[in-house]
Amino acid sequence: VLILSSLASILVLNSLKDNVNQERLSGNFQKKINSRLASERGVFDSMAAARTFLSNNQSATLEDIVAHLNAGQLTDTISLTNGGIKYTVTPTAVAGELVLSSIGNRFEGESALKVRLKVTPGGGGSPFADAVVGCEGVNLSGSGRVDSYNSNNAPYDINNPGKEGDVSTIDKNGANVILGGNSPILGDVSSTGQIDTKTSDVDGNLHANGDIIIGSGTGSGQVTMPNPDPNAKKKDKIINLRVSGNIRTRGNYIQNGGHIGGHVRANGDGYMTWSNFIHNRANDGLDILYGGTGTFKDTANNKHYENTQYKVFPDVEKVKTDDATAPNYKPNDPATNCDHLGISDIMDTIDNGNSNLLAFNSPGSGVTYTMDPYELYDGNNPPYASSVNETVLGKQASVINLQSFNLTGSDTLNITGGDVTLFVEGDFKMAGATKINIAAGSTLTLMIKGTIDLGAGADIIAKQHGLAPANDPDSKPAMSIYSSYAGPDIGVKLSGDFETYAAIYAPKSDVNIAGSGTLYGSVRGKTVTVTGGAGIHYDAALGDRNRGGSSSSGSKISFLGWQY
């Protein structure tokens, strides 16, 4: 009996031990499931918060969203602790995408999860929504950089530039973007034709309806890449990226040199020479997909892209064009209509056909003129011109009308007193060591039917960059230039060692920026050519509000994929 009782006790104890182990396994599994649910909740809460922030700030960039989330302004969203359940979300910007890395915990259980999101800016909000728009072509053949800043936040900092220097074309027949010389772009490049980077680097994404050609050379955009070999003594390595983001083309992809930070998608052929790399840093699917023939020269680094798994037609979406028959065409959207404001009609509304308009020619002897919203004068004589009430860009404004404007020698024009609007029926010229000074809080709007020539020694200096008044929905850029010129000459010409703040809208004329100067603001032209060392620093504040165009679509966040 004692022996049987002992055996029974042993069996009972073993059974109890098995039950305890099963309970522990079940508990651990439950903790794991709960931690996974916590990490998913972190992702979904943060996605919802990011969408809310973007809906209230339509001009917010990817960097703005990341900064806002990291600033701790979203209580109980970046982190949450409740009843032993916890999640922590880390938002980052990777290759032009918003990546939310969420770690969920339930007591000892832990689960990590990542989601990739695409932030798509709205269209049609502002005629100055990009750094450079050359509707029928962009040629950046100099050494000047295209980058950005936001005058609402801080002045331009050459050591910490923004990455919203976007460059684009929209002509339906195919308008190319040529990055000759060494013109680094800190922003995205989109083209309805071909993109040829030549020897320039792009810190952003490329998207083209035509071919994309990556020029030879190693590039200069340095990034640190983790070494995939866990046994290597040196864990990280530094590489130079020719393009930091993703590349999408409806044509052929040709890489003649360097490293690509994102992935490549090409509807046509794929071609890479020796010592070329596609890093796909976000691990977004396969490194490259192409629908045509693959030719990859480097056995060690890219020959394997000739395997069948990479020969997949990616069906790259089309860059928006000005094709009025396209389903996404909207006449009031600057992404699909170069002249979405109808600038000629606006000029004709202002131009009253008065042949007695003054042809203003300064003597060039150091005279200082003043222009306020109502008069142009020099202090010693009666006003040269007085304003009349006109409709400008759909709003009533006081406008000073001139037949032509020619500021020469060492003469100066001071803009003061608020919003000043100047209409010139003919040409607008500045030559010699002339200056236009725009007082802080004042703005100058130029409405020009002829050509605009800012000569080698001329300067237009805005004491306060950005929009004035800062928090007014009807605020204007410190200086804006609207041109309806459609003749054979260059419509807008900036040259020399200038330093000018201006938002330029010249959809019917060629814009030529040359020399070693600097343009702060934005430029839209029929074509845009930049030579020499001239740089363009896009003021992202210009895209914050509607200035003539109606909003065709809002900014949005879309889901791209999970990473476990």
Side-chain angles (χ1 to χ4, degrees):
V1 171
L2 289 174
I3 291 172
L4 291 174
S5 298
S6 298
L7 291 172
S9 299
I10 292 172
L11 291 173
V12 169
L13 291 173
N14 284 334
S15 178
L16 290 174
K17 184 178 180 180
D18 288 341
N19 288 337
V20 170
N21 289 336
Q22 290 291 338
E23 186 176 353
R24 287 178 177 174
L25 289 172
S26 298
N28 291 338
F29 182 71
Q30 185 182 41
K31 293 173 186 176
K32 187 68 175 177
I33 291 295
N34 286 336
S35 66
R36 172 63 180 274
L37 293 174
S39 65
E40 289 182 357
R41 178 177 173 181
V43 166
F44 292 134
D45 284 353
S46 297
M47 286 173 61
R51 285 193 172 106
T52 299
F53 172 69
L54 189 60
S55 66
N56 295 327
N57 302 272
Q58 283 291 304
S59 62
T61 65
L62 175 59
E63 288 74 18
D64 292 334
I65 296 172
V66 172
H68 187 74
L69 293 173
N70 280 325
Q73 299 183 37
L74 302 173
T75 305
D76 290 341
T77 300
I78 292 301
S79 62
L80 171 73
T81 302
N82 186 10
I85 297 178
K86 177 183 178 181
Y87 68 70
T88 303
V89 180
T90 302
T92 54
V94 179
E97 298 173 356
L98 175 61
V99 177
L100 301 176
S101 303
S102 179
I103 297 178
N105 298 93
R106 167 65 170 170
F107 299 120
E108 297 87 358
E110 182 174 290
S111 179
L113 183 63
K114 287 185 180 181
V115 64
R116 295 172 36 251
L117 305 170
K118 179 182 179 181
V119 179
T120 303
S126 167
F128 311 118
D130 288 330
V132 178
V133 179
C135 300
E136 296 183 14
V138 173
N139 189 339
L140 307 181
S141 59
S143 58
R145 184 167 66 181
V146 180
D147 54 24
S148 71
Y149 72 113
N150 192 316
S151 61
N152 286 338
N153 301 329
Y156 175 74
D157 182 357
I158 192 172
N159 297 314
N160 187 30
K163 298 181 180 180
E164 297 176 68
D166 297 344
V167 177
S168 64
T169 63
I170 66 173
D171 185 68
K172 64 181 179 181
N173 295 319
N176 299 333
V177 175
I178 308 298
L179 307 180
N182 181 21
S183 301
I185 308 297
L186 276 66
D188 296 337
V189 179
S190 62
S191 170
T192 58
Q194 179 188 97
I195 297 176
D196 190 346
T197 68
K198 294 188 178 293
T199 55
S200 297
D201 302 331
V202 178
D203 192 353
N205 302 308
L206 303 183
H207 186 190
N209 290 340
D211 297 342
I212 290 182
I213 303 171
I214 308 300
S216 58
T218 59
S220 59
Q222 290 192 343
V223 296
T224 301
M225 296 285 290
N227 195 321
D229 183 359
N231 299 318
K233 292 182 180 180
K234 189 175 181 180
K235 297 300 182 183
D236 300 325
K237 60 180 178 179
I238 296 177
I239 62 171
N240 297 327
L241 293 179
R242 296 303 313 279
V243 178
S244 69
N246 296 323
I247 296 177
R248 296 176 295 156
T249 170
R250 293 173 63 84
N252 302 316
Y253 175 68
I254 302 166
Q255 184 176 343
N256 294 309
H259 300 250
I260 305 301
H263 66 229
V264 175
R265 302 290 182 261
N267 285 359
D269 299 339
Y271 175 87
M272 295 174 68
T273 61
W274 293 272
S275 299
N276 291 348
F277 305 85
I278 301 174
H279 293 283
N280 194 9
R281 292 183 296 165
N283 195 26
D284 182 12
L286 296 176
D287 294 349
I288 183 172
L289 298 176
Y290 55 92
T293 301
T295 303
F296 302 93
K297 301 287 189 177
D298 195 328
T299 303
N301 299 307
N302 56 51
K303 189 70 173 178
H304 61 284
Y305 294 147
E306 293 182 0
N307 295 339
T308 304
Q309 66 190 102
Y310 300 100
K311 298 179 181 180
V312 177
F313 181 73
D315 195 16
V316 172
E317 66 178 315
K318 191 175 184 180
V319 175
K320 285 185 177 181
T321 75
D322 59 0
D323 182 2
T325 65
N328 60 2
Y329 175 83
K330 295 182 179 180
N332 56 5
D333 183 356
T336 57
N337 186 356
C338 189
D339 183 21
H340 67 288
L341 298 181
I343 192 63
S344 294
D345 292 340
I346 292 172
M347 294 293 185
D348 290 342
T349 299
I350 300 172
D351 190 359
N352 56 18
N354 187 348
S355 59
N356 295 321
L357 292 177
L358 172 71
F360 177 79
N361 293 283
S362 75
S365 56
V367 179
T368 298
Y369 298 89
T370 299
M371 187 183 295
D372 61 27
Y374 308 106
E375 293 178 332
L376 168 62
Y377 56 94
D378 66 8
N380 299 319
N381 297 294
Y384 291 90
S386 299
S387 67
V388 293
N389 197 35
E390 304 277 11
T391 300
V392 181
L393 297 170
K395 298 182 181 295
Q396 292 296 303
S398 297
V399 180
I400 295 175
N401 294 287
L402 297 175
Q403 185 184 71
S404 60
F405 181 92
N406 188 12
L407 195 66
T408 63
S410 57
D411 294 345
T412 299
L413 173 64
N414 293 324
I415 305 298
T416 186
D419 294 331
V420 176
T421 302
L422 173 63
F423 169 78
V424 179
E425 192 175 46
D427 296 337
F428 180 99
K429 296 181 180 180
M430 292 177 64
T434 55
K435 286 183 174 59
I436 293 180
N437 297 313
I438 304 172
S442 293
T443 68
L444 173 61
T445 301
L446 297 179
M447 311 295 295
I448 313 297
K449 294 187 76 171
T451 63
I452 301 168
D453 188 352
L454 305 184
D459 262 332
I460 299 178
I461 303 170
K463 302 296 184 182
Q464 180 180 340
H465 287 193
L467 303 165
N471 297 314
D472 190 329
D474 294 326
S475 61
K476 299 179 180 180
M479 178 175 175
S480 49
I481 299 174
Y482 294 87
S483 168
S484 63
Y485 180 75
D489 298 326
I490 296 174
V492 180
K493 185 188 300 183
L494 284 73
S495 57
D497 187 19
F498 60 89
E499 185 163 339
T500 298
Y501 183 95
I504 300 173
Y505 183 90
K508 296 178 178 293
S509 62
D510 300 322
V511 178
N512 193 327
I513 302 173
S516 57
T518 303
L519 173 66
Y520 300 90
S522 173
V523 56
R524 170 182 286 256
K526 178 182 178 182
T527 66
V528 177
T529 301
V530 181
T531 59
I536 298 176
H537 308 309
Y538 172 59
D539 184 2
L542 295 174
D544 285 350
R545 294 186 180 87
N546 186 344
R547 265 163 294 284
S550 60
S551 180
S552 62
S553 62
S555 301
K556 64 180 180 179
I557 294 178
S558 52
F559 175 81
L560 292 177
W562 296 101
Q563 291 181 358
Y564 298 96

